[in-house]
Amino acid sequence: METATPQDEAELAETLRQASEDARPLEVIARGSKRRFGRPIQVASSLSLAAFSGVSLYEPEELVLSAGAATPMSTIEALLEEHGQMLAFEPADLEPLLSGPRDEARRDSLGGVIACNLAGPRRPKAGAARDHVLGVKGVTGEGARFKTGGRVVKNVTGYDLCKLLSGSFGTLATMTEVTLKVLPRPQKTRTLLFFGHDAGEATALFGAAMGSAYDVSGAAYLPEPLARGSAVDMVAGPGQSVIALRLEGSAPSVAARQAGLSALLAPLARVDEELHAQRSLTFWREVRDCRPFVARAERAIWRLSIPPANAAAMLNALSPAEEDYFLDWAGGLLWLARPEDAAEPIAFGAFLERLGGHAMLVRAGDSLRASLPLFLPEHLELEVLAGRIKDSFDPKRVLNPGRLYAGL
């Protein structure tokens, strides 16, 4: 495959202008960790953004960071950790899920995380990735350079293109630089564990915890087989299902909120164990990165977003085996492993529509990925709207054609 490797924005703009003029489609690659996420792309040429890497601005006291789109997330996270800060949306690292286990540091890029709008267990509390983007520099599919947003939260720049580009999977423009707001890392993290409960009891506990004043920043449920596979001994050891609730903040605040939350939940369940420091970090990274399903290469992996109150109804309708699902986002996110049956997704897509949710196919073989849009259920009006937006940024369908919808 022929690969263009522009070294600066001017060269990138010329590359895209020429590709648009020639109607020559390109696969956009920052570091390549998400090439198997979304519908498969069949093109003869690719566009590497590898030159747009590195942190260009970091002002810890102003809680702002700017970096090139191809900057490794490991670089950004290491820099923030040095200053006691973090990306509050807890970006997921899906490369092991998509490409198999690996030992080296995470290789995914800032641009890939934002383009896919990936957020982890803190999503209900902190918001999505798009909510933390302050500004973007980039080039449209026609080769027009642009800058949107800025370095502060209150930017008045017309249309909020930052949110439009977040989750666009590189189909509208190539991002060259992203500016993010960062936040202080919590002084104390404590995860409360409840063993031996079913999914219905978990959703009831989630409802009580998230509706309380105790500021829970993570709520997940692992059935027994997945809990036993955890790398955290205190999660795997009991050999039972696990409900996990995370509290973060200053040490006195966490201690006081833990006592209050435990008392509030006592009529529903008692706390069986606590995770501190590294154990807590490891557990939530497992949940964040969908680690329970990394080794299940034979299964298609779906990510179902649903109103948390409807999680139990969704599970009852699907009746998955205990090794085939787990819950995050206090029941609002259902990770599901299913056989690669092209007919089945349409059925649960229709049921999801009645429940007010949607499904995203995260991992599957090329045949299933090519036969479906990225999101189910399908909405013709959304596809039409997506086509109009695509025409505004990339009328010749140059950038990642077909990644979200066939023909776009």
Side-chain angles (χ1 to χ4, degrees):
M1 179 184 289
E2 177 188 355
T3 302
T5 56
Q7 299 301 300
D8 55 36
E9 273 197 0
E11 191 175 340
L12 173 61
E14 177 58 25
T15 299
L16 289 173
R17 187 198 64 77
Q18 190 62 56
S20 182
E21 186 176 299
D22 298 340
R24 175 168 50 90
L26 300 167
E27 180 183 13
V28 182
I29 301 170
R31 297 181 63 82
S33 65
K34 297 177 181 62
R35 298 181 75 179
R36 294 185 57 79
F37 191 9
R39 301 181 74 256
I41 300 174
Q42 295 184 350
V43 295
S45 304
S46 63
L47 174 64
S48 171
L49 301 178
F52 300 93
S53 181
V55 176
S56 55
L57 170 87
Y58 180 38
E59 297 180 355
E61 66 282 358
E62 299 295 334
L63 302 177
V64 62
L65 178 146
S66 299
T71 307
M73 288 303 300
S74 56
T75 299
I76 293 173
E77 289 171 341
L79 178 61
L80 292 175
E81 188 169 357
E82 286 179 17
H83 293 82
Q85 295 182 336
M86 66 175 183
L87 296 175
F89 60 94
E90 211 168 359
D93 176 12
L94 296 183
E95 186 185 359
L97 183 71
L98 298 171
S99 305
R102 53 176 168 73
D103 296 323
E104 65 267 35
R106 70 185 285 188
R107 295 197 304 251
D108 56 338
S109 65
L110 173 61
V113 164
I114 300 304
C116 298
N117 194 34
L118 294 177
R122 208 179 280 111
R123 168 68 171 84
K125 172 180 168 63
R130 64 176 177 265
D131 300 314
H132 296 258
V133 180
L134 298 176
V136 170
K137 291 182 181 178
V139 182
T140 70
E142 290 186 294
R145 298 165 67 174
F146 68 89
K147 177 182 178 182
T148 181
R151 291 171 47 186
V152 296
V153 174
K154 293 184 178 180
N155 288 298
V156 182
T157 57
Y159 296 113
D160 192 348
L161 297 186
C162 296
K163 285 186 171 61
L164 186 65
L165 294 172
S166 301
S168 67
F169 280 68
T171 60
L172 300 179
T174 55
M175 292 182 283
T176 58
E177 183 181 86
V178 179
T179 299
L180 298 165
K181 60 180 176 182
V182 301
L183 289 176
R185 186 175 298 277
Q187 180 188 55
K188 178 75 173 179
T189 299
R190 188 169 296 176
T191 298
L192 310 183
L193 302 181
F194 306 79
F195 298 133
H197 298 273
D198 61 28
E201 292 169 329
T203 56
L205 204 68
F206 292 156
M210 302 305 288
S212 74
Y214 298 113
D215 200 18
V216 176
S217 68
Y221 173 74
L222 272 62
E224 178 187 330
L226 301 187
R228 282 193 277 108
S230 173
V232 180
D233 55 355
M234 296 167 71
V235 173
Q240 301 180 74
S241 64
V242 172
I243 300 170
L245 300 177
R246 181 174 60 185
L247 299 171
E248 298 177 303
S250 66
S253 171
V254 169
R257 284 155 47 217
Q258 178 191 354
L261 183 62
S262 299
L264 174 71
L265 300 179
L268 299 174
R270 65 178 179 84
V271 177
D272 293 301
E273 191 56 88
E274 299 174 10
L275 301 181
H276 296 241
Q278 190 59 44
R279 283 187 175 95
S280 186
L281 178 63
T282 300
F283 173 79
W284 290 105
R285 281 181 174 171
E286 289 179 344
V287 173
R288 179 195 74 179
D289 301 340
C290 197
R291 291 279 176 167
F293 292 157
V294 166
R296 306 202 65 193
E298 80 286 357
R299 293 285 178 132
I301 306 301
W302 291 86
R303 188 174 183 263
L304 279 58
S305 298
I306 47 182
N310 293 337
M314 192 75 223
L315 287 170
N316 288 336
L318 296 174
S319 299
E322 284 199 319
E323 66 270 19
D324 286 341
Y325 79 94
F326 69 93
L327 296 172
D328 193 9
W329 298 1
L333 181 62
L334 168 61
W335 285 100
L336 192 66
R338 298 294 257 189
E340 291 203 13
D341 183 335
E344 184 187 46
I346 304 301
F348 73 64
F351 188 73
L352 267 170
E353 186 167 23
R354 293 197 295 274
L355 292 180
H358 67 266
M360 175 190 290
L361 181 59
V362 176
R363 187 187 74 187
D366 287 350
S367 177
L368 181 56
R369 291 166 57 221
S371 69
L372 295 170
L374 184 60
F375 295 100
L376 287 174
E378 295 184 80
H379 294 286
L380 179 59
E381 61 274 20
L382 291 181
E383 186 172 347
V384 170
L385 179 59
R388 291 175 180 171
I389 296 172
K390 178 78 166 173
D391 287 339
S392 298
F393 284 83
D394 182 25
K396 295 297 183 66
R397 307 293 198 262
V398 168
L399 299 175
N400 285 348
R403 177 60 62 86
L404 294 180
Y405 298 97
L408 288 184

PDB file of all heavy atoms in Angstrom, residues 239-260:
ATOM      1  N   GLY A 239     -13.746 -16.201  44.052  1.00  0.00           N
ATOM      2  CA  GLY A 239     -14.444 -17.073  43.117  1.00  0.00           C
ATOM      3  C   GLY A 239     -15.919 -16.778  43.009  1.00  0.00           C
ATOM      4  O   GLY A 239     -16.732 -17.690  42.810  1.00  0.00           O
ATOM      5  N   GLN A 240     -16.295 -15.509  43.122  1.00  0.00           N
ATOM      6  CA  GLN A 240     -17.697 -15.102  43.057  1.00  0.00           C
ATOM      7  C   GLN A 240     -17.827 -13.872  42.155  1.00  0.00           C
ATOM      8  O   GLN A 240     -16.841 -13.219  41.815  1.00  0.00           O
ATOM      9  CB  GLN A 240     -18.222 -14.752  44.449  1.00  0.00           C
ATOM     10  CG  GLN A 240     -18.149 -15.876  45.466  1.00  0.00           C
ATOM     11  CD  GLN A 240     -18.700 -15.424  46.804  1.00  0.00           C
ATOM     12  OE1 GLN A 240     -19.904 -15.277  46.988  1.00  0.00           O
ATOM     13  NE2 GLN A 240     -17.806 -15.205  47.754  1.00  0.00           N
ATOM     14  N   SER A 241     -19.061 -13.560  41.780  1.00  0.00           N
ATOM     15  CA  SER A 241     -19.301 -12.323  41.040  1.00  0.00           C
ATOM     16  C   SER A 241     -18.909 -11.123  41.900  1.00  0.00           C
ATOM     17  O   SER A 241     -18.876 -11.208  43.131  1.00  0.00           O
ATOM     18  CB  SER A 241     -20.774 -12.218  40.647  1.00  0.00           C
ATOM     19  OG  SER A 241     -21.586 -12.132  41.810  1.00  0.00           O
ATOM     20  N   VAL A 242     -18.613  -9.999  41.252  1.00  0.00           N
ATOM     21  CA  VAL A 242     -18.128  -8.813  41.958  1.00  0.00           C
ATOM     22  C   VAL A 242     -18.868  -7.564  41.490  1.00  0.00           C
ATOM     23  O   VAL A 242     -18.960  -7.296  40.291  1.00  0.00           O
ATOM     24  CB  VAL A 242     -16.611  -8.612  41.726  1.00  0.00           C
ATOM     25  CG1 VAL A 242     -16.151  -7.269  42.298  1.00  0.00           C
ATOM     26  CG2 VAL A 242     -15.821  -9.738  42.350  1.00  0.00           C
ATOM     27  N   ILE A 243     -19.399  -6.821  42.456  1.00  0.00           N
ATOM     28  CA  ILE A 243     -19.855  -5.451  42.226  1.00  0.00           C
ATOM     29  C   ILE A 243     -18.771  -4.535  42.774  1.00  0.00           C
ATOM     30  O   ILE A 243     -18.310  -4.731  43.908  1.00  0.00           O
ATOM     31  CB  ILE A 243     -21.180  -5.167  42.946  1.00  0.00           C
ATOM     32  CG1 ILE A 243     -22.285  -6.109  42.466  1.00  0.00           C
ATOM     33  CG2 ILE A 243     -21.608  -3.708  42.736  1.00  0.00           C
ATOM     34  CD1 ILE A 243     -23.557  -6.036  43.310  1.00  0.00           C
ATOM     35  N   ALA A 244     -18.351  -3.549  41.992  1.00  0.00           N
ATOM     36  CA  ALA A 244     -17.289  -2.631  42.419  1.00  0.00           C
ATOM     37  C   ALA A 244     -17.784  -1.194  42.346  1.00  0.00           C
ATOM     38  O   ALA A 244     -18.349  -0.777  41.328  1.00  0.00           O
ATOM     39  CB  ALA A 244     -16.056  -2.807  41.544  1.00  0.00           C
ATOM     40  N   LEU A 245     -17.567  -0.440  43.424  1.00  0.00           N
ATOM     41  CA  LEU A 245     -17.896   0.979  43.484  1.00  0.00           C
ATOM     42  C   LEU A 245     -16.649   1.752  43.881  1.00  0.00           C
ATOM     43  O   LEU A 245     -15.999   1.410  44.870  1.00  0.00           O
ATOM     44  CB  LEU A 245     -19.002   1.240  44.507  1.00  0.00           C
ATOM     45  CG  LEU A 245     -20.348   0.535  44.265  1.00  0.00           C
ATOM     46  CD1 LEU A 245     -21.297   0.844  45.416  1.00  0.00           C
ATOM     47  CD2 LEU A 245     -20.963   0.956  42.940  1.00  0.00           C
ATOM     48  N   ARG A 246     -16.313   2.779  43.125  1.00  0.00           N
ATOM     49  CA  ARG A 246     -15.074   3.526  43.368  1.00  0.00           C
ATOM     50  C   ARG A 246     -15.371   4.909  43.944  1.00  0.00           C
ATOM     51  O   ARG A 246     -16.254   5.622  43.474  1.00  0.00           O
ATOM     52  CB  ARG A 246     -14.291   3.677  42.058  1.00  0.00           C
ATOM     53  CG  ARG A 246     -12.967   4.419  42.208  1.00  0.00           C
ATOM     54  CD  ARG A 246     -12.176   4.415  40.907  1.00  0.00           C
ATOM     55  NE  ARG A 246     -12.903   5.058  39.819  1.00  0.00           N
ATOM     56  CZ  ARG A 246     -12.451   5.087  38.561  1.00  0.00           C
ATOM     57  NH1 ARG A 246     -11.307   4.505  38.247  1.00  0.00           N
ATOM     58  NH2 ARG A 246     -13.164   5.691  37.615  1.00  0.00           N
ATOM     59  N   LEU A 247     -14.581   5.280  44.957  1.00  0.00           N
ATOM     60  CA  LEU A 247     -14.622   6.613  45.556  1.00  0.00           C
ATOM     61  C   LEU A 247     -13.248   7.247  45.395  1.00  0.00           C
ATOM     62  O   LEU A 247     -12.229   6.590  45.615  1.00  0.00           O
ATOM     63  CB  LEU A 247     -14.990   6.535  47.032  1.00  0.00           C
ATOM     64  CG  LEU A 247     -16.356   5.928  47.366  1.00  0.00           C
ATOM     65  CD1 LEU A 247     -16.495   5.714  48.867  1.00  0.00           C
ATOM     66  CD2 LEU A 247     -17.481   6.814  46.843  1.00  0.00           C
ATOM     67  N   GLU A 248     -13.211   8.533  45.019  1.00  0.00           N
ATOM     68  CA  GLU A 248     -11.941   9.231  44.814  1.00  0.00           C
ATOM     69  C   GLU A 248     -11.999  10.612  45.437  1.00  0.00           C
ATOM     70  O   GLU A 248     -13.069  11.214  45.555  1.00  0.00           O
ATOM     71  CB  GLU A 248     -11.650   9.380  43.314  1.00  0.00           C
ATOM     72  CG  GLU A 248     -11.494   8.080  42.562  1.00  0.00           C
ATOM     73  CD  GLU A 248     -11.289   8.293  41.078  1.00  0.00           C
ATOM     74  OE1 GLU A 248     -12.155   8.938  40.451  1.00  0.00           O
ATOM     75  OE2 GLU A 248     -10.269   7.814  40.542  1.00  0.00           O
ATOM     76  N   GLY A 249     -10.836  11.126  45.825  1.00  0.00           N
ATOM     77  CA  GLY A 249     -10.751  12.479  46.361  1.00  0.00           C
ATOM     78  C   GLY A 249      -9.682  12.581  47.420  1.00  0.00           C
ATOM     79  O   GLY A 249      -8.738  11.769  47.458  1.00  0.00           O
ATOM     80  N   SER A 250      -9.801  13.560  48.305  1.00  0.00           N
ATOM     81  CA  SER A 250      -8.866  13.683  49.414  1.00  0.00           C
ATOM     82  C   SER A 250      -9.117  12.554  50.405  1.00  0.00           C
ATOM     83  O   SER A 250     -10.218  11.987  50.469  1.00  0.00           O
ATOM     84  CB  SER A 250      -9.041  15.036  50.104  1.00  0.00           C
ATOM     85  OG  SER A 250     -10.312  15.112  50.728  1.00  0.00           O
ATOM     86  N   ALA A 251      -8.102  12.209  51.192  1.00  0.00           N
ATOM     87  CA  ALA A 251      -8.221  11.087  52.126  1.00  0.00           C
ATOM     88  C   ALA A 251      -9.378  11.257  53.112  1.00  0.00           C
ATOM     89  O   ALA A 251     -10.177  10.322  53.302  1.00  0.00           O
ATOM     90  CB  ALA A 251      -6.900  10.885  52.870  1.00  0.00           C
ATOM     91  N   PRO A 252      -9.536  12.430  53.763  1.00  0.00           N
ATOM     92  CA  PRO A 252     -10.661  12.571  54.701  1.00  0.00           C
ATOM     93  C   PRO A 252     -12.018  12.462  54.003  1.00  0.00           C
ATOM     94  O   PRO A 252     -12.961  11.881  54.552  1.00  0.00           O
ATOM     95  CB  PRO A 252     -10.451  13.976  55.292  1.00  0.00           C
ATOM     96  CG  PRO A 252      -9.001  14.267  55.087  1.00  0.00           C
ATOM     97  CD  PRO A 252      -8.641  13.610  53.799  1.00  0.00           C
ATOM     98  N   SER A 253     -12.115  13.015  52.791  1.00  0.00           N
ATOM     99  CA  SER A 253     -13.372  12.959  52.058  1.00  0.00           C
ATOM    100  C   SER A 253     -13.730  11.525  51.693  1.00  0.00           C
ATOM    101  O   SER A 253     -14.882  11.098  51.867  1.00  0.00           O
ATOM    102  CB  SER A 253     -13.279  13.808  50.786  1.00  0.00           C
ATOM    103  OG  SER A 253     -14.406  13.610  49.957  1.00  0.00           O
ATOM    104  N   VAL A 254     -12.746  10.773  51.197  1.00  0.00           N
ATOM    105  CA  VAL A 254     -13.011   9.389  50.812  1.00  0.00           C
ATOM    106  C   VAL A 254     -13.441   8.563  52.020  1.00  0.00           C
ATOM    107  O   VAL A 254     -14.388   7.763  51.949  1.00  0.00           O
ATOM    108  CB  VAL A 254     -11.777   8.763  50.134  1.00  0.00           C
ATOM    109  CG1 VAL A 254     -11.933   7.254  49.983  1.00  0.00           C
ATOM    110  CG2 VAL A 254     -11.546   9.407  48.764  1.00  0.00           C
ATOM    111  N   ALA A 255     -12.766   8.744  53.146  1.00  0.00           N
ATOM    112  CA  ALA A 255     -13.116   7.990  54.357  1.00  0.00           C
ATOM    113  C   ALA A 255     -14.541   8.296  54.814  1.00  0.00           C
ATOM    114  O   ALA A 255     -15.314   7.391  55.163  1.00  0.00           O
ATOM    115  CB  ALA A 255     -12.122   8.309  55.465  1.00  0.00           C
ATOM    116  N   ALA A 256     -14.899   9.578  54.805  1.00  0.00           N
ATOM    117  CA  ALA A 256     -16.244   9.962  55.245  1.00  0.00           C
ATOM    118  C   ALA A 256     -17.305   9.458  54.280  1.00  0.00           C
ATOM    119  O   ALA A 256     -18.371   8.957  54.699  1.00  0.00           O
ATOM    120  CB  ALA A 256     -16.321  11.482  55.367  1.00  0.00           C
ATOM    121  N   ARG A 257     -17.034   9.554  52.985  1.00  0.00           N
ATOM    122  CA  ARG A 257     -18.014   9.105  51.992  1.00  0.00           C
ATOM    123  C   ARG A 257     -18.139   7.585  51.994  1.00  0.00           C
ATOM    124  O   ARG A 257     -19.228   7.043  51.769  1.00  0.00           O
ATOM    125  CB  ARG A 257     -17.626   9.626  50.618  1.00  0.00           C
ATOM    126  CG  ARG A 257     -17.952  11.112  50.452  1.00  0.00           C
ATOM    127  CD  ARG A 257     -17.093  11.825  49.426  1.00  0.00           C
ATOM    128  NE  ARG A 257     -16.991  11.080  48.197  1.00  0.00           N
ATOM    129  CZ  ARG A 257     -15.882  11.022  47.452  1.00  0.00           C
ATOM    130  NH1 ARG A 257     -14.782  11.652  47.869  1.00  0.00           N
ATOM    131  NH2 ARG A 257     -15.876  10.352  46.338  1.00  0.00           N
ATOM    132  N   GLN A 258     -17.042   6.893  52.248  1.00  0.00           N
ATOM    133  CA  GLN A 258     -17.106   5.438  52.328  1.00  0.00           C
ATOM    134  C   GLN A 258     -18.035   5.001  53.465  1.00  0.00           C
ATOM    135  O   GLN A 258     -18.866   4.107  53.298  1.00  0.00           O
ATOM    136  CB  GLN A 258     -15.726   4.837  52.542  1.00  0.00           C
ATOM    137  CG  GLN A 258     -15.765   3.320  52.684  1.00  0.00           C
ATOM    138  CD  GLN A 258     -14.450   2.739  53.151  1.00  0.00           C
ATOM    139  OE1 GLN A 258     -13.472   3.451  53.265  1.00  0.00           O
ATOM    140  NE2 GLN A 258     -14.428   1.443  53.425  1.00  0.00           N
ATOM    141  N   ALA A 259     -17.882   5.639  54.618  1.00  0.00           N
ATOM    142  CA  ALA A 259     -18.728   5.289  55.765  1.00  0.00           C
ATOM    143  C   ALA A 259     -20.196   5.556  55.455  1.00  0.00           C
ATOM    144  O   ALA A 259     -21.076   4.727  55.744  1.00  0.00           O
ATOM    145  CB  ALA A 259     -18.279   6.075  56.995  1.00  0.00           C
ATOM    146  N   GLY A 260     -20.476   6.708  54.850  1.00  0.00           N
ATOM    147  CA  GLY A 260     -21.852   7.051  54.526  1.00  0.00           C
ATOM    148  C   GLY A 260     -22.449   6.134  53.475  1.00  0.00           C
ATOM    149  O   GLY A 260     -23.602   5.699  53.592  1.00  0.00           O
TER     150      GLY A 260
END
